[in-house]
Amino acid sequence: MSRSAWSRCALAILLAVAAAPLRAEHALILKDNMAVLRCAPPSADLRYAGSNAPQQIFFADESVDVQLAFAKAAEKPGDWAIEIQEVTTRDPDKKIEDMEGYTDTGGHAPLIGLEGKPVVHPIKAVFDGKAQTIANVPVPHRFGTYALVLVNGPSRTFLATVARVPRPRAGGTLENTPIFGEFSMFDKPELFEQRASAYERMGIHGMRLETSWSEDKDGKADWTGTDRIFDAIGRHGVQLMVTLGGMRSWAWPFAPDQTPAAVGPTWDFNPYSGQADWVADPKLYPRYGKWITAFAQRYWKNGQGGLWGFENYNEPWEGGGISGWARDMLEYRKIQKLIAESAHAVDPRIKICAASSIMNTEDKLFPDGSNEFDKYIDVFTDHYVTPSMCYGPLVAKAHGKVSVETETWFVNTEYLLPQGVAQFMASGQGRLSPWHPRVLFDQLPGNEDHYFIPTPVVAATAAFNSMVTGKAFERVVFMNHLPWVFQFGKDDDTDALLILFGQLVTIGGDSPRERLWAQVEGSSGGTMTIDNADGLLRFCDLAGNPAQVGEAKVTLPMNIFPSYIKCEKGPKAATERLAAARIEGKRPVEILPHDFSKRVDEAGCAIEVAVHNCLSRPIAGKLAVRPPDGIVLASPQSDCPLAAGETRMIKFALTSGKANSANAYPFAFHFTSDGGDADYREVMNVAIVPHRTIKVDGNLDDWNDIPGITIAATLQKAEMEEMLRRPWLDLRDQKPNGNFGEFKLAWDEKYLYVCARVNDPTPQIDLPPIAGRDEDSYFHSRADDSIEPFKTFLQKHPGHSFAEVPYVYSKPPEASIHFRRDRLHIGLDVTPDWHDLTPDTDRVPYGFHAVPDTDYEYALYPCSGGRSECWRLLAPGVPRINDWPHQPHGARTTGPVPGAVHVVRREGDVYYYEMAIPREELKDLKLTVGTTFGLALRAGNGGKGPNVDYGADKAVTKSNGLTLHPYWEHKPSCGVKWTLVE
């Protein structure tokens, strides 16, 4: 769900102003930042009034003329001067979590740092309250952000900031520029020209505008607001993706009120945040389409105008979107088709976009497996789909489309900008909005402009666009070892850009499991030294200035701080030089043990451990293994020489093993090498599926001697090893903090069997089955006329009935959907194929972004009346959908599994799940001895409390968006392999 609720009210006020920023938010003028500058905060009596550049953004060769207004009351004797000090937000260690500044898009505002020595410029101060011009203020020509501090003896007062930025690259367009803007900065019509000019100077050529049907009931269209917008942006090379959203009140079915949606009986008639529908009566759709055509005719101008494309609604989530969408997907499809046909009647080159997340796009437009809507959509849009969750570009590629991320808003520092943009573009996004404008600028006392003085993110944005515009992401240069190098531009492009990081940052969080090589990525420290005696590599800093000039050896920290690199001989020569860089002091390897494929007391049992060298040079190492009591290894140590980026599998045979009832064996691993040492611990399991015919009756007696996996949802890390060594009954006696469960699998020639017993003290057993549900019951009907609060609402609308709006949700759908229930939820990875998606492992390492690693996915859950239901969520040929009410379906689709046998029983706080999935259902899984497959398991908690996830602490898994539904939540991937045995 978007964090931008504050802006959505603008939909009701057609283009008057975009939503203003929250007044309490500040990105720069904060007590801690003033302390860094050793000055008092800005004063209305000593006021900075403006400059000769839009939003205080200057090119390097421009003179800086500022206007200052000093009140008579502020007059003091002595000399006055302006101190000019470069400020940055480039140090990750200077983030202060308790700073008073906070923005909901980027978290706590950053603490500034000081760069270089200040310049002091004497001025003559006139204390008459009028603005006086100080010409040719000696702001350095170096790119960056400069604080202006007014100095009078020991008195120091902050005035403002100004930015020096590189000129935009020639030939930039909306489609070849990485950073996409946001219209909300255009909050005052009288400043539209200035805002557009500021975006132009930052190299921004496109932005998103949320607007709606600007026509009155009598058919008169008011183009005043949009004319003013398009006139301003047109003069500055900016185009708009126009998100068409909530419509005029006269067009609503219950005009002048919005249609109440999924609200409770105590609803206070507040129509915001998904509580009401803001869309027109469907009878008016044809008229709406004519207005869209008129809009396109007015602003497209044969491709030379400010219009680039239309998006159908902002975040139209099922059950009630925050922007006033509360209809079913059938209505969305009608409007999508209407927008496309109405716009393409003017020109088929006008882009048609949808639907604020790839899961939303698939749900609404491609749920039946057909390509019907390919002609009604050109661009797939995402919101907040971070790299570990990102798969929209893969789906877009499969449909011959492109994908963009238009509401990410995680950047509030310089160093986060290249980190995030590089990762998103490597994940396949064509462009993105990495920030909200309120982290770009701040306000001064006595000035009504909320976007007045620039933060360092402005200079960072301009620098990135100037270097990357026109140069698409090509590849991660080193696919299996450090450092992280992202290439923009072709191999033969001598002006290509490489962005180097010693470590990646998790976008929107701090979990290294969302990144590849979690053990190495989660470790800090180290340096990288690059030989550059011949000056082959040219380094630039975050603002675009030359850096490390003349250094024969360039030493960089192995942290999340970026370096921009160009090479006059092109990326190939640069790659060879960077591959020879010497990395020291960094954890060298990932240690990746694999669970046992045989019982530990069985002949031939061994533990296999993969070791991945993440350094860019060969290392000579040894791996030592310390097994738990009861297990003896033939040899506890093995030589492990590794080439750069190599992964080597080492097998340690067991000479004896004693099985324990918990099937939990804590191992410790120690790697030593000439490149550094590394340790790792993990509780290993026997991951086998024995041959057994199971009677599915819910009592689990047939499972007694089959090894199971015990998982606790929320344990302190220190407790994990000890607690998971305990068998199920012992664990119950310990009452750990959180839900926990035990999982087992078996097979015969007819079925794959799965069972679980889950301690869950918040039962959810009263929900009906999904199959055969009355889908219309989720939407309004005449029956709602006599139910509160709808009954009271209708008193204002005599002669109307809720039967008129059978497409608007009247109750939320999530409460009964399969992935929001108490459930046993499984995913199977049985083939190397991605079915409908094409791997892009020629551009990025496998697992860099979300990986569709599940071939089959099922949920077993209790239903009212003591029943249960086994639901197919995914199988080869089944579209990725969520089964919302009124979901279109194709011939191959989700639904109850034919022939499945299942029981869910509850006793006290414990669920007993048991099911048998027929082999006819699992066509790609060979039910024969020796078959291996990846497995994901979740004991889902639909009530209060956490889910129980299998694999969350396994080295061979990573956090992945596509493993299990829903795809907007992280789950462990299917990295653990299970084996069918006798």
Side-chain angles (χ1 to χ4, degrees), residues 359-415:
M359 188 70 249
N360 211 13
T361 304
E362 289 191 301
D363 251 344
K364 287 178 166 55
L365 303 182
F366 301 103
D368 57 0
S370 78
N371 294 323
E372 174 191 358
F373 271 79
D374 277 352
K375 58 185 175 183
Y376 302 129
I377 184 169
D378 303 303
V379 178
F380 294 175
T381 59
D382 269 341
H383 283 189
Y384 301 113
V385 183
T386 56
S388 64
M389 311 289 286
C390 182
Y391 73 104
L394 293 176
V395 181
K397 179 181 177 182
H399 287 272
K401 313 296 181 183
V402 297
S403 180
V404 299
E405 168 64 69
T406 62
E407 193 171 316
T408 312
W409 299 356
F410 63 92
V411 166
N412 64 355
T413 65
E414 289 175 280
Y415 67 84

Side-chain angles (χ1 to χ4, degrees), residues 11 14-15 210-214 243-248 288 291:
L11 293 170
L14 175 68
L15 289 174
E210 290 185 52
T211 186
S212 62
W213 188 359
S214 62
T243 301
L244 297 174
M247 302 166 191
R248 285 291 186 92
Y288 179 43
W291 174 84

